[in-house]
Amino acid sequence: MTLWIKNPLGIFAEGAEGGVVIDGTRIMELVAAGETPSMPVDEVFDASEHVVLPGLINTHHHFYQTLTRAFRPAADKALFDWLKALYPVWGRMDPEAFRLATRVAMVELLMSGCTTASDHHYVFPAGLEEAIDIQMEEAEKLGLRVALCRGSMDLSVENGGLPPRQVTQDIDTILADCERLVGRWHQRGEGAMRQVVLAPCSPFSVSGDLMRESAKLGATLDVRLHTHLAETFDENDYCFQKFGVRPLDYVESLGWVSDRVWFAHGIHFTDDEMRRLGEAGTGIAHCPTSNMIIGSGVCSPVALESLGAPVGLACDGAAAADSSNLVQEVRQAFLLQRAMRGVEAVTHKDPLRWATEGSARCLGRKDIGVVAPGAQADFAMFRLDEMRFSGYDDPVAALVICGAHAADRIMVAGQWRLIDGEVPGLDLAELRHAHQEAARRVQAA
């Protein structure tokens, strides 16, 4: 079944002004302005009122945190104190609340233009041992492409870490579950819809042994690795005091600097550290809104990218950024870099590239994040009929500069997953009510 997405109002691709032809799950042809497809098509979608982007790709998130947005005890706190206020609450999650939290985050992401999402789940209280399985099930229902990070913490407050014991696990349990999940869910090759990533949480919540063994297992199973790194000055101080080195030096000694790895945040790197990351091909998930809310600092995506490091874009946790809106992160990244580094630092195309092709590189994918023949048919389509866009000239630039916040249509692997701004068959009001009730239950002391 071939489909011509015809004559878009704007498109983030060269040579596709006349649209894109897809067959099944893949892009077959780019149509130049004023031209028609070279092959017969079965169906035509008139995209003359839509701006077409490659599906946006979220490279770091914590879906479960939708249960603790704007949580009073954590408000206005820096990262370490923020975590201490929230860990006990997250430890009260049950499977029902977790499933609702996951569904809400995924729906928000879809509605914001996201077609591929990576989530980092590392909180495993008793009863929530199958958290990643729940997320995989929810992704299948919604048709969202995912790279789910089997997070882990084995260093509780009793032995020098930050989290309470009830949300941590021992190394053997963690590694065994990682292997189980890869065997059950991980897909390989072009078009993969479900992938598993090994992802110890951070240097201040996991042991060196867990980091080292996770890296070895990742190589054995041929899957990617992910963790938080260089997010705050407090993290620098912790690593100096505990290990005598900076965070990057510490994780590098454990096998965590390679093209199999991408880090979340990556704010506090020196010039030499950024050079080393670029030489290794290690990626960075830039999380602008979260970094601003927590007051962590500002990443250097332009410098990292120029040195060879893949740079992707991310929402981060829904209790840090307090939203799961990826297209808004595009504008935030644009504004933040302009404010910090001047108007010459970035164009509107840079954060769009980070959110698409750059994010795909972080996930080790070449088949998504671009509008090109052979790539997956993943698209985010936006209308410009809101007041905020009235008076625009460049339709692609308008999405970034005027601040798009909701997609009109989403296609994942050739299937429409969002139509007229709604997920087919989903009762949003019912979902919001059930989710809010779950949040109240989890937040209650």
Side-chain angles (χ1 to χ4, degrees):
M1 188 77 173
T2 54
L3 169 68
W4 178 17
I5 299 175
K6 181 181 178 180
N7 294 336
L9 179 62
I11 188 166
F12 190 53
E14 297 294 330
E17 292 79 10
V20 180
V21 177
I22 68 168
D23 186 5
T25 66
R26 299 174 64 201
I27 298 170
M28 300 303 292
E29 182 181 1
L30 306 187
V31 182
E35 300 294 325
T36 58
S38 63
M39 63 184 74
V41 296
D42 300 309
E43 189 177 349
V44 175
F45 177 81
D46 180 4
S48 59
E49 296 185 354
H50 290 89
V51 182
V52 179
L53 305 179
L56 305 183
I57 301 169
N58 187 34
T59 52
H60 183 69
H61 208 105
H62 306 295
F63 294 165
Y64 73 92
Q65 291 182 9
T66 59
L67 295 167
T68 51
R69 291 198 257 222
F71 186 60
R72 289 184 181 92
D76 305 321
K77 285 183 167 62
L79 180 63
F80 279 21
D81 290 335
W82 178 88
L83 285 168
K84 289 175 183 176
L86 283 163
Y87 275 137
V89 183
W90 296 335
R92 294 196 288 268
M93 280 188 298
D94 57 35
E96 179 189 1
F98 181 77
R99 186 178 292 276
L100 287 165
T102 294
R103 190 178 306 161
V104 162
M106 288 182 175
V107 168
E108 282 188 273
L109 286 168
L110 268 175
M111 293 174 71
S112 74
C114 178
T115 57
T116 301
S118 180
D119 187 61
H120 188 186
H121 184 73
Y122 52 84
V123 178
F124 289 86
L128 203 57
E129 291 82 5
E130 296 185 349
I132 308 303
D133 302 273
I134 291 172
Q135 291 186 318
M136 288 293 186
E137 292 165 2
E138 289 298 314
E140 283 191 317
K141 291 175 186 175
L142 290 168
L144 184 67
R145 201 183 297 274
V146 289
L148 297 181
C149 299
R150 203 301 182 181
S152 53
M153 298 189 294
D154 70 331
L155 202 62
S156 68
V157 67
E158 288 87 351
N159 48 16
L162 282 183
R165 186 185 299 276
Q166 69 262 32
V167 298
T168 64
Q169 296 175 305
D170 64 78
I171 294 180
D172 290 342
T173 298
I174 291 164
L175 296 178
D177 195 49
C178 287
E179 194 161 1
R180 177 189 71 83
L181 289 165
V182 172
R184 180 180 181 189
W185 294 106
H186 188 74
Q187 297 176 339
R188 303 183 186 277
E190 292 187 1
M193 291 295 294
R194 303 185 302 273
Q195 295 193 317
V196 177
V197 179
L198 309 191
C201 183
S202 64
F204 47 83
S205 60
V206 303
S207 66
D209 287 341
L210 178 55
M211 292 289 288
R212 186 182 298 106
E213 293 306 313
S214 294
K216 290 179 181 177
L217 184 60
T220 299
L221 299 177
D222 190 24
V223 296
R224 297 186 71 73
L225 302 169
H226 182 58
T227 191
H228 299 88
L229 200 75
E231 183 176 1
T232 66
F233 287 121
D234 285 343
E235 182 185 322
N236 283 355
D237 294 341
Y238 178 91
C239 288
F240 265 123
Q241 293 169 12
K242 192 170 181 65
F243 312 117
V245 293
R246 290 172 56 82
L248 185 65
D249 296 322
Y250 172 62
V251 298
E252 186 172 24
S253 72
L254 301 171
W256 276 75
V257 176
S258 75
D259 60 3
R260 188 184 299 278
V261 177
W262 86 100
F263 297 129
H265 303 293
I267 297 168
H268 300 290
F269 290 131
T270 65
D271 291 345
D272 179 66
E273 288 170 341
M274 288 192 287
R275 177 190 59 78
R276 287 156 53 193
L277 291 167
E279 289 175 351
T282 303
I284 300 297
H286 177 32
C287 311
T289 299
S290 167
N291 295 159
M292 287 188 280
I293 287 177
I294 300 294
S296 301
V298 181
C299 182
S300 301
V302 176
L304 285 159
E305 193 175 45
S306 70
L307 291 166
V311 173
L313 203 62
C315 293
D316 195 18
D322 287 288
S323 72
S324 302
N325 191 310
L326 192 52
V327 75
Q328 287 186 349
E329 294 298 331
V330 172
R331 186 170 192 253
Q332 290 282 53
F334 172 74
L335 296 177
L336 182 59
Q337 293 304 310
R338 283 278 180 100
M340 293 297 296
R341 298 183 169 94
V343 70
E344 302 85 3
V346 291
T347 71
H348 69 275
K349 294 181 180 180
D350 291 313
L352 286 173
R353 186 181 65 258
W354 299 334
T356 53
E357 187 175 3
S359 286
R361 287 185 65 201
C362 285
L363 300 185
R365 303 286 295 258
K366 296 181 180 179
D367 60 330
I368 59 176
V370 291
V371 176
Q376 289 292 297
D378 292 3
F379 301 104
M381 302 172 66
F382 297 82
R383 298 176 65 94
L384 300 184
D385 54 1
E386 297 176 70
M387 192 68 73
R388 71 179 67 218
F389 298 115
S390 183
Y392 76 88
D393 178 25
D394 182 329
V396 175
L399 294 182
V400 181
I401 297 170
C402 302
H405 70 277
D408 182 65
R409 284 208 169 222
I410 292 292
M411 177 177 283
V412 185
Q415 298 292 317
W416 294 116
R417 298 301 183 181
L418 189 79
I419 299 174
D420 298 332
E422 297 183 357
V423 178
L426 180 71
D427 187 329
L428 275 181
E430 181 182 340
L431 176 58
R432 281 197 306 269
H433 175 75
H435 178 265
Q436 187 64 57
E437 289 302 309
R440 289 194 181 100
R441 187 173 71 250
V442 169
Q443 291 175 21

PDB file of all heavy atoms in Angstrom, residues 365-383:
ATOM      1  N   ARG A 365      20.638   4.551  15.978  1.00  0.00           N
ATOM      2  CA  ARG A 365      19.727   4.274  14.872  1.00  0.00           C
ATOM      3  C   ARG A 365      20.049   5.155  13.668  1.00  0.00           C
ATOM      4  O   ARG A 365      20.304   6.350  13.808  1.00  0.00           O
ATOM      5  CB  ARG A 365      18.267   4.526  15.288  1.00  0.00           C
ATOM      6  CG  ARG A 365      17.764   3.743  16.484  1.00  0.00           C
ATOM      7  CD  ARG A 365      17.500   2.299  16.181  1.00  0.00           C
ATOM      8  NE  ARG A 365      16.422   2.102  15.226  1.00  0.00           N
ATOM      9  CZ  ARG A 365      15.178   1.737  15.558  1.00  0.00           C
ATOM     10  NH1 ARG A 365      14.851   1.554  16.837  1.00  0.00           N
ATOM     11  NH2 ARG A 365      14.262   1.536  14.626  1.00  0.00           N
ATOM     12  N   LYS A 366      20.009   4.567  12.469  1.00  0.00           N
ATOM     13  CA  LYS A 366      20.158   5.305  11.228  1.00  0.00           C
ATOM     14  C   LYS A 366      18.875   5.305  10.410  1.00  0.00           C
ATOM     15  O   LYS A 366      18.798   5.998   9.389  1.00  0.00           O
ATOM     16  CB  LYS A 366      21.289   4.704  10.387  1.00  0.00           C
ATOM     17  CG  LYS A 366      22.666   4.809  11.033  1.00  0.00           C
ATOM     18  CD  LYS A 366      23.730   4.205  10.131  1.00  0.00           C
ATOM     19  CE  LYS A 366      25.116   4.311  10.772  1.00  0.00           C
ATOM     20  NZ  LYS A 366      26.169   3.709   9.902  1.00  0.00           N
ATOM     21  N   ASP A 367      17.886   4.540  10.853  1.00  0.00           N
ATOM     22  CA  ASP A 367      16.665   4.366  10.080  1.00  0.00           C
ATOM     23  C   ASP A 367      15.534   5.267  10.528  1.00  0.00           C
ATOM     24  O   ASP A 367      14.437   5.220   9.961  1.00  0.00           O
ATOM     25  CB  ASP A 367      16.209   2.904  10.152  1.00  0.00           C
ATOM     26  CG  ASP A 367      15.928   2.444  11.578  1.00  0.00           C
ATOM     27  OD1 ASP A 367      16.569   2.969  12.515  1.00  0.00           O
ATOM     28  OD2 ASP A 367      15.078   1.537  11.765  1.00  0.00           O
ATOM     29  N   ILE A 368      15.757   6.094  11.530  1.00  0.00           N
ATOM     30  CA  ILE A 368      14.754   7.044  12.014  1.00  0.00           C
ATOM     31  C   ILE A 368      15.401   8.416  12.170  1.00  0.00           C
ATOM     32  O   ILE A 368      16.620   8.552  12.110  1.00  0.00           O
ATOM     33  CB  ILE A 368      14.121   6.587  13.351  1.00  0.00           C
ATOM     34  CG1 ILE A 368      15.201   6.418  14.437  1.00  0.00           C
ATOM     35  CG2 ILE A 368      13.335   5.292  13.164  1.00  0.00           C
ATOM     36  CD1 ILE A 368      14.639   6.067  15.817  1.00  0.00           C
ATOM     37  N   GLY A 369      14.572   9.440  12.351  1.00  0.00           N
ATOM     38  CA  GLY A 369      15.107  10.778  12.579  1.00  0.00           C
ATOM     39  C   GLY A 369      15.405  11.562  11.319  1.00  0.00           C
ATOM     40  O   GLY A 369      15.865  12.698  11.393  1.00  0.00           O
ATOM     41  N   VAL A 370      15.134  10.985  10.150  1.00  0.00           N
ATOM     42  CA  VAL A 370      15.382  11.674   8.883  1.00  0.00           C
ATOM     43  C   VAL A 370      14.239  11.390   7.918  1.00  0.00           C
ATOM     44  O   VAL A 370      13.573  10.356   8.008  1.00  0.00           O
ATOM     45  CB  VAL A 370      16.714  11.231   8.227  1.00  0.00           C
ATOM     46  CG1 VAL A 370      17.910  11.713   9.040  1.00  0.00           C
ATOM     47  CG2 VAL A 370      16.770   9.716   8.047  1.00  0.00           C
ATOM     48  N   VAL A 371      14.033  12.316   6.989  1.00  0.00           N
ATOM     49  CA  VAL A 371      13.126  12.092   5.873  1.00  0.00           C
ATOM     50  C   VAL A 371      14.010  11.764   4.682  1.00  0.00           C
ATOM     51  O   VAL A 371      14.600  12.652   4.056  1.00  0.00           O
ATOM     52  CB  VAL A 371      12.253  13.330   5.597  1.00  0.00           C
ATOM     53  CG1 VAL A 371      11.385  13.110   4.357  1.00  0.00           C
ATOM     54  CG2 VAL A 371      11.377  13.648   6.800  1.00  0.00           C
ATOM     55  N   ALA A 372      14.154  10.474   4.391  1.00  0.00           N
ATOM     56  CA  ALA A 372      15.056  10.017   3.345  1.00  0.00           C
ATOM     57  C   ALA A 372      14.587   8.669   2.831  1.00  0.00           C
ATOM     58  O   ALA A 372      13.991   7.880   3.580  1.00  0.00           O
ATOM     59  CB  ALA A 372      16.486   9.904   3.875  1.00  0.00           C
ATOM     60  N   PRO A 373      14.844   8.361   1.560  1.00  0.00           N
ATOM     61  CA  PRO A 373      14.460   7.051   1.038  1.00  0.00           C
ATOM     62  C   PRO A 373      15.088   5.928   1.856  1.00  0.00           C
ATOM     63  O   PRO A 373      16.276   5.966   2.189  1.00  0.00           O
ATOM     64  CB  PRO A 373      15.005   7.068  -0.394  1.00  0.00           C
ATOM     65  CG  PRO A 373      15.038   8.518  -0.765  1.00  0.00           C
ATOM     66  CD  PRO A 373      15.412   9.228   0.507  1.00  0.00           C
ATOM     67  N   GLY A 374      14.280   4.938   2.203  1.00  0.00           N
ATOM     68  CA  GLY A 374      14.739   3.806   3.002  1.00  0.00           C
ATOM     69  C   GLY A 374      14.516   3.966   4.479  1.00  0.00           C
ATOM     70  O   GLY A 374      14.536   2.977   5.216  1.00  0.00           O
ATOM     71  N   ALA A 375      14.338   5.198   4.938  1.00  0.00           N
ATOM     72  CA  ALA A 375      14.111   5.433   6.368  1.00  0.00           C
ATOM     73  C   ALA A 375      12.697   5.013   6.746  1.00  0.00           C
ATOM     74  O   ALA A 375      11.811   4.845   5.898  1.00  0.00           O
ATOM     75  CB  ALA A 375      14.332   6.900   6.710  1.00  0.00           C
ATOM     76  N   GLN A 376      12.487   4.845   8.043  1.00  0.00           N
ATOM     77  CA  GLN A 376      11.164   4.493   8.542  1.00  0.00           C
ATOM     78  C   GLN A 376      10.178   5.642   8.329  1.00  0.00           C
ATOM     79  O   GLN A 376      10.546   6.828   8.412  1.00  0.00           O
ATOM     80  CB  GLN A 376      11.241   4.152  10.030  1.00  0.00           C
ATOM     81  CG  GLN A 376      11.939   2.834  10.308  1.00  0.00           C
ATOM     82  CD  GLN A 376      11.142   1.646   9.809  1.00  0.00           C
ATOM     83  OE1 GLN A 376      10.034   1.396  10.262  1.00  0.00           O
ATOM     84  NE2 GLN A 376      11.699   0.902   8.853  1.00  0.00           N
ATOM     85  N   ALA A 377       8.925   5.284   8.065  1.00  0.00           N
ATOM     86  CA  ALA A 377       7.875   6.278   7.833  1.00  0.00           C
ATOM     87  C   ALA A 377       7.338   6.787   9.166  1.00  0.00           C
ATOM     88  O   ALA A 377       6.242   6.436   9.597  1.00  0.00           O
ATOM     89  CB  ALA A 377       6.768   5.674   6.980  1.00  0.00           C
ATOM     90  N   ASP A 378       8.161   7.581   9.844  1.00  0.00           N
ATOM     91  CA  ASP A 378       7.812   8.228  11.118  1.00  0.00           C
ATOM     92  C   ASP A 378       7.735   9.731  10.862  1.00  0.00           C
ATOM     93  O   ASP A 378       8.754  10.352  10.516  1.00  0.00           O
ATOM     94  CB  ASP A 378       8.867   7.958  12.189  1.00  0.00           C
ATOM     95  CG  ASP A 378       8.927   6.502  12.630  1.00  0.00           C
ATOM     96  OD1 ASP A 378       8.200   5.671  12.071  1.00  0.00           O
ATOM     97  OD2 ASP A 378       9.729   6.212  13.543  1.00  0.00           O
ATOM     98  N   PHE A 379       6.562  10.329  11.064  1.00  0.00           N
ATOM     99  CA  PHE A 379       6.384  11.752  10.791  1.00  0.00           C
ATOM    100  C   PHE A 379       5.599  12.428  11.902  1.00  0.00           C
ATOM    101  O   PHE A 379       4.688  11.844  12.483  1.00  0.00           O
ATOM    102  CB  PHE A 379       5.628  11.976   9.472  1.00  0.00           C
ATOM    103  CG  PHE A 379       6.297  11.396   8.270  1.00  0.00           C
ATOM    104  CD1 PHE A 379       5.823  10.226   7.693  1.00  0.00           C
ATOM    105  CD2 PHE A 379       7.397  12.014   7.697  1.00  0.00           C
ATOM    106  CE1 PHE A 379       6.429   9.675   6.580  1.00  0.00           C
ATOM    107  CE2 PHE A 379       8.020  11.478   6.583  1.00  0.00           C
ATOM    108  CZ  PHE A 379       7.544  10.312   6.018  1.00  0.00           C
ATOM    109  N   ALA A 380       5.966  13.681  12.159  1.00  0.00           N
ATOM    110  CA  ALA A 380       5.193  14.557  13.031  1.00  0.00           C
ATOM    111  C   ALA A 380       4.697  15.710  12.170  1.00  0.00           C
ATOM    112  O   ALA A 380       5.493  16.382  11.515  1.00  0.00           O
ATOM    113  CB  ALA A 380       6.049  15.078  14.179  1.00  0.00           C
ATOM    114  N   MET A 381       3.398  15.934  12.178  1.00  0.00           N
ATOM    115  CA  MET A 381       2.791  16.924  11.293  1.00  0.00           C
ATOM    116  C   MET A 381       2.019  17.953  12.115  1.00  0.00           C
ATOM    117  O   MET A 381       1.192  17.602  12.953  1.00  0.00           O
ATOM    118  CB  MET A 381       1.879  16.222  10.280  1.00  0.00           C
ATOM    119  CG  MET A 381       2.640  15.188   9.449  1.00  0.00           C
ATOM    120  SD  MET A 381       1.598  14.144   8.397  1.00  0.00           S
ATOM    121  CE  MET A 381       0.965  15.350   7.255  1.00  0.00           C
ATOM    122  N   PHE A 382       2.318  19.215  11.844  1.00  0.00           N
ATOM    123  CA  PHE A 382       1.761  20.323  12.621  1.00  0.00           C
ATOM    124  C   PHE A 382       0.997  21.273  11.719  1.00  0.00           C
ATOM    125  O   PHE A 382       1.423  21.580  10.602  1.00  0.00           O
ATOM    126  CB  PHE A 382       2.885  21.108  13.312  1.00  0.00           C
ATOM    127  CG  PHE A 382       3.676  20.313  14.314  1.00  0.00           C
ATOM    128  CD1 PHE A 382       4.703  19.478  13.892  1.00  0.00           C
ATOM    129  CD2 PHE A 382       3.405  20.406  15.674  1.00  0.00           C
ATOM    130  CE1 PHE A 382       5.440  18.739  14.810  1.00  0.00           C
ATOM    131  CE2 PHE A 382       4.134  19.671  16.594  1.00  0.00           C
ATOM    132  CZ  PHE A 382       5.158  18.837  16.157  1.00  0.00           C
ATOM    133  N   ARG A 383      -0.115  21.782  12.222  1.00  0.00           N
ATOM    134  CA  ARG A 383      -0.865  22.841  11.548  1.00  0.00           C
ATOM    135  C   ARG A 383      -0.409  24.200  12.091  1.00  0.00           C
ATOM    136  O   ARG A 383       0.065  24.289  13.239  1.00  0.00           O
ATOM    137  CB  ARG A 383      -2.359  22.664  11.769  1.00  0.00           C
ATOM    138  CG  ARG A 383      -2.922  21.363  11.204  1.00  0.00           C
ATOM    139  CD  ARG A 383      -4.389  21.215  11.543  1.00  0.00           C
ATOM    140  NE  ARG A 383      -5.175  22.254  10.894  1.00  0.00           N
ATOM    141  CZ  ARG A 383      -5.785  22.095   9.708  1.00  0.00           C
ATOM    142  NH1 ARG A 383      -5.710  20.942   9.075  1.00  0.00           N
ATOM    143  NH2 ARG A 383      -6.488  23.072   9.179  1.00  0.00           N
TER     144      ARG A 383
END
